[in-house]
Amino acid sequence: MKNTGKLKATLLAIALLLSSSTALADGNFWQWLVTFSRQKEVQPVTNKAYQEECGSCHFAYPPGLLPGKSWAKLLEDKGLNDHFGENASLDADTLKEIRDYAMENAAEKSNFKRSRKIALATEEGDAPLRITEVRYIKRKHHDIPEKMIKGNKDVKSRSYCNACHTKAEKGIFDNDTVSIPNYPDYD
Amino acid sequence: MKNLFTVMALIGALFAASAASATPATNTLFAKYKAAGASGFSAERGQKVWTKELLSESGEMMSCTTCHGKDLGKEGKHHKTGKLIKPMAPSANAERFTDAKKIEKWFKRNCNDVLGRECTAQEKGDILTFLLSQ
C-alpha cells in the first residue's frame, strides 16, 4: 500500500514535469512569468545576418514589430526583388536565415509587451506590410503634428524609427527615450 | 648589377600598381567576368556607366551617383531611407571591394534599380576598374 502511494507520487511528479516542459516549448510563458524585468518593450535584433542585411539600407526593424503573416509576405522567395520599389534581393541561404529569424521572433511569438499589443492589433484583417500601418503604432503617433515628422528635414517619415527613438536599436520605444530633431521641447 | 636593379625596379612597380587597385576578391571577379566573355576592362567606360542618368520606375532621373554621391571619396546617402553609405573609393575606405559575394550582391540589386536590368559582365568589369582607380 505504501509502495503504491510512492508510485503514484512519482507518476504525478513526472506528469507535472512533462506538462510544464510542454508549456515552456509553447511560447515561453513560464519563462516570461518568472522574469523580473517584465520585458516591457520589443526584443532587440539578435541575429547577425538580419542586422547586417536589413541594416545595410535602413534601420533593422526588430521582427517583434510585425506579425508573422507580414514577415512571410515581405520575405517570400521573390519578395525582396521589389522591396517597396527597391531591389533588395538576397541569395537563397541568407534569405532563409533572415526569414526564419523574423518568423520565430514575430510579434505573436514574443512575450515583450509592445509585441503583444502589435500581435493583438494585427490578429484580424490583412497582413500589414508597413509597421506604420499597424493600428497600435498609428494610435501611438497620431497626435504628433505633421510638421514635426514629414515637414522635419531630419525625420521625414514615421518609417525612420531611430530618427526620434534614441534607443530603438535596443528595442526601447517609450516616451522618455524620444527626442524629435529640431523640436527639443516637445513632450 | 645593373640588370638586378632593373628587375628590382620592375618588381617594385608591379607591387605599386597592384596595391593601388586590385584585391583578391576583385581578381576573382575579373577572372569570372572574363570567363563570361568580357575583356579589356576600361575605367573610362566604367565611369560612363556609373554616371549615366536614366529614368527610373519611380519617375526620377537616377544614376549610381544618386545614392553614392558625386565625390567617391565621401559618404553617399540612400535616396529613400537616407542611410549613409560609406565612401566607394578604396583610397577612402579600405573595406571596399574585399568581399566578392558582397560586390556581386550589390551589382545585382543596384543595376536593377538604376538600369532596370542586371549589368553585363563587361559593364561590371568596367565599373569595378573605374572604382578601383579612385
Side-chain angles (χ1 to χ4, degrees):
Chain A
M1 200 58 199
K2 241 183 179 179
N3 273 345
T4 335
K6 254 187 187 170
L7 184 71
K8 275 184 182 167
T10 317
L11 279 174
L12 184 67
I14 292 172
L16 274 172
L17 269 172
L18 280 176
S19 65
S20 63
S21 64
T22 324
L24 259 179
D26 279 341
N28 290 327
F29 173 73
W30 295 106
Q31 201 184 321
W32 171 79
L33 200 67
V34 296
T35 338
F36 286 105
S37 70
R38 272 280 172 263
Q39 296 178 322
K40 281 181 180 163
E41 293 284 340
V42 177
Q43 175 161 32
V45 174
T46 51
N47 179 286
K48 193 166 167 273
Y50 186 96
Q51 177 64 48
E52 277 177 11
E53 295 299 343
C54 307
S56 65
C57 298
H58 55 67
F59 170 62
Y61 305 103
L65 290 176
L66 280 177
K69 59 183 176 183
S70 300
W71 290 119
K73 266 193 193 174
L74 284 164
L75 301 174
E76 65 184 10
D77 278 347
K78 297 277 174 199
L80 286 176
N81 288 4
D82 183 357
H83 185 59
F84 303 105
E86 305 279 306
N87 186 308
S89 51
L90 281 169
D91 63 89
D93 290 345
T94 316
L95 178 60
K96 187 181 182 302
E97 183 179 350
I98 285 172
R99 182 170 49 211
D100 289 352
Y101 176 71
M103 296 300 288
E104 282 159 19
N105 295 280
E108 75 274 19
K109 297 275 179 69
S110 173
N111 282 317
F112 281 68
K113 191 182 86 179
R114 290 193 200 281
S115 291
R116 305 293 330 158
K117 292 188 171 175
I118 289 166
L120 203 63
T122 53
E123 219 167 23
E124 283 165 23
D126 288 343
L129 291 183
R130 294 172 187 272
I131 295 159
T132 50
E133 286 168 4
V134 176
R135 255 191 307 137
Y136 167 72
I137 306 274
K138 273 188 175 171
R139 194 176 71 234
K140 284 282 180 185
H141 295 87
H142 87 281
D143 60 348
I144 307 166
E146 282 300 297
K147 63 169 182 181
M148 295 188 187
I149 300 173
K150 274 189 189 156
N152 188 338
K153 68 174 173 59
D154 296 318
V155 183
K156 284 185 179 166
S157 159
R158 282 175 177 77
S159 320
Y160 307 138
C161 307
N162 55 339
C164 303
H165 291 279
T166 56
K167 290 193 175 164
E169 302 272 353
K170 293 188 175 130
I172 300 171
F173 293 90
D174 77 282
N175 278 340
D176 293 345
T177 63
V178 172
S179 163
I180 303 180
N182 308 315
Y183 292 91
D185 299 326
Y186 183 75
D187 214 7
Chain B
M1 199 62 201
K2 205 180 171 191
N3 270 345
L4 187 66
F5 184 77
T6 320
V7 169
M8 280 175 74
L10 267 174
I11 290 172
L14 258 173
F15 265 103
S18 58
S21 51
T23 69
T26 54
N27 285 336
T28 314
L29 289 178
F30 284 130
K32 189 179 150 190
Y33 301 151
K34 277 181 190 159
S39 63
F41 300 119
S42 137
E44 203 181 318
R45 265 203 314 269
Q47 185 171 18
K48 270 187 192 151
V49 184
W50 183 264
T51 51
K52 190 174 179 183
E53 286 213 315
L54 284 156
L55 191 67
S56 77
E57 269 179 48
S58 56
E60 63 178 320
M61 292 303 283
M62 266 190 95
S63 69
C64 303
T65 60
T66 307
C67 297
H68 289 292
K70 291 220 159 61
D71 184 347
L72 294 172
K74 290 196 178 135
E75 277 184 329
K77 200 174 176 187
H78 192 281
H79 71 137
K80 274 194 189 152
T81 68
K83 174 107 188 170
L84 291 174
I85 303 167
K86 288 180 187 160
M88 292 305 285
S91 57
N93 177 5
E95 261 181 64
R96 278 286 172 230
F97 313 119
T98 52
D99 180 345
K101 208 175 147 191
K102 205 169 169 181
I103 300 170
E104 285 288 60
K105 177 178 83 179
W106 285 107
F107 263 139
K108 186 179 173 196
R109 292 173 167 182
N110 295 351
C111 289
N112 266 303
D113 278 341
V114 178
L115 306 175
R117 58 169 173 83
E118 285 196 34
C119 285
T120 62
Q122 185 70 49
E123 285 168 330
K124 289 196 273 190
D126 289 342
I127 293 172
L128 211 47
T129 306
F130 164 62
L131 292 174
L132 285 172
S133 72
Q134 297 297 300

